[in-house]
Amino acid sequence: MKKIFSVVMLLIFALIFAQEKQPMFWQDIQNFKKLDQDNAAPKNSILLVGSSSFTKWQDVSDYFPGKTIINRGFGGSRLTDLNYFSEDLLTPYQPKQMIIYCGENDFADDAQLKADVVVDRYKTFYKKIREKFPTIQVDYISIKYSPSRENLWPQMKEANKKIKKFMKKEKNADFIDITKVMNDADGNIRKDLFIEDMLHMTPEGYRLWTKVMNPYMK
């Protein structure tokens, strides 16, 4: 009996240890896999990939009636995470378009991070996309200037500028700049578009994003 108990306890500890060793966001990816198992992902969809600005846009399909959208945003993710889980984020799907919002958390994770590093991380992910989907439309939404991260705006602005330049040279690719629509008449970021944390957006913020994104939606 004691021997059986010991074996059971060892198995329990092994499972706990294995879970602790899983990379960050591993469970989010498993949740996506479960969703895809329960309901086959539709072909020729618009695939959203990125961080919490997508994660919290749970009713995104309501903003784009007539569009088939798969939302695979996972909160807190960085471009490093998109690269790490690229196979899981890309292989299950056959989209006609991909829209990415990511990069903001890269800077939040390391306030000293250079813009060029984030740009390179994005280029790496873009290359992975093109290896899977050579001809689909790929769009990058500019990093928003969240009031709670004002100290990071200079690096973010530089990254946006360089990613925009990169995307302009690519075929079937666009840079969707949501900066102006989130500013007031004086060119200052509208804080009323953010909830209390001054990081995540209100429905009005998403409505304005929709206004800018609509012309790019396939």
Side-chain angles (χ1 to χ4, degrees):
M1 189 69 178
K2 287 184 179 180
K3 187 176 181 180
I4 294 173
F5 178 77
S6 297
V7 171
V8 171
M9 290 304 295
L10 283 172
L11 287 171
I12 291 172
F13 285 128
L15 285 170
I16 293 172
F17 182 70
Q19 289 177 346
E20 289 178 348
K21 287 189 70 177
Q22 297 296 351
M24 190 181 296
F25 306 116
W26 180 86
Q27 189 57 55
D28 296 89
I29 300 302
Q30 304 316 304
N31 293 340
F32 293 155
K33 289 180 178 179
K34 180 67 165 55
L35 287 173
D36 294 332
Q37 286 174 358
D38 293 343
N39 296 286
K43 297 179 180 179
N44 297 315
S45 59
I46 298 172
L47 178 62
L48 306 185
V49 176
S51 55
S52 60
S53 289
F54 279 168
T55 312
K56 292 183 176 295
W57 205 353
Q58 292 295 310
D59 57 348
V60 61
S61 293
D62 295 339
Y63 287 74
F64 300 100
K67 306 293 184 183
T68 302
I69 296 175
I70 300 173
N71 189 344
R72 291 297 178 261
F74 50 112
S77 60
R78 304 150 297 184
L79 286 162
T80 49
D81 302 304
L82 267 55
N83 280 310
Y84 184 85
F85 290 111
S86 61
E87 281 293 319
D88 298 300
L89 294 169
L90 302 176
T91 301
Y93 311 108
Q94 298 179 51
K96 62 181 177 181
Q97 180 178 12
M98 275 192 67
I99 302 178
I100 301 140
Y101 181 81
C102 199
E104 186 177 355
N105 290 320
D106 295 64
F107 290 113
D109 191 49
D110 180 2
Q112 304 304 314
L113 195 64
K114 300 295 184 183
D116 284 341
V117 175
V118 173
V119 175
D120 285 342
R121 289 175 181 178
Y122 174 68
K123 288 180 178 178
T124 298
F125 186 58
Y126 182 85
K127 183 180 179 182
K128 291 175 185 289
I129 295 171
R130 285 306 182 205
E131 288 171 354
K132 292 283 184 183
F133 312 115
T135 61
I136 69 166
Q137 178 69 27
V138 179
D139 301 313
Y140 180 87
I141 295 177
S142 63
I143 299 172
K144 73 182 191 302
Y145 303 124
S146 305
S148 63
R149 292 173 170 174
E150 188 171 356
N151 63 308
L152 303 172
W153 288 0
Q155 297 110 292
M156 291 178 177
K157 287 178 180 178
E158 187 179 351
N160 276 336
K161 181 179 178 181
K162 291 183 175 181
I163 292 175
K164 180 179 181 179
K165 184 178 180 181
F166 168 74
M167 293 296 276
K168 276 191 171 183
K169 294 179 180 179
E170 295 297 309
K171 293 180 179 179
N172 301 320
D174 280 303
F175 180 86
I176 303 176
D177 196 342
I178 47 78
T179 303
K180 288 184 180 179
V181 78
M182 297 187 74
N183 288 345
D184 61 22
D186 296 320
N188 299 312
I189 190 76
R190 285 178 53 188
K191 293 184 178 181
D192 63 297
L193 298 178
F194 295 83
I195 62 174
E196 289 182 1
D197 63 8
M198 288 291 121
L199 174 61
H200 300 106
M201 295 191 299
T202 64
E204 175 63 10
Y206 286 118
R207 188 188 70 79
L208 292 174
W209 274 34
T210 302
K211 182 179 177 181
V212 177
M213 291 169 65
N214 256 324
Y216 298 92
M217 303 293 277
K218 298 297 180 184

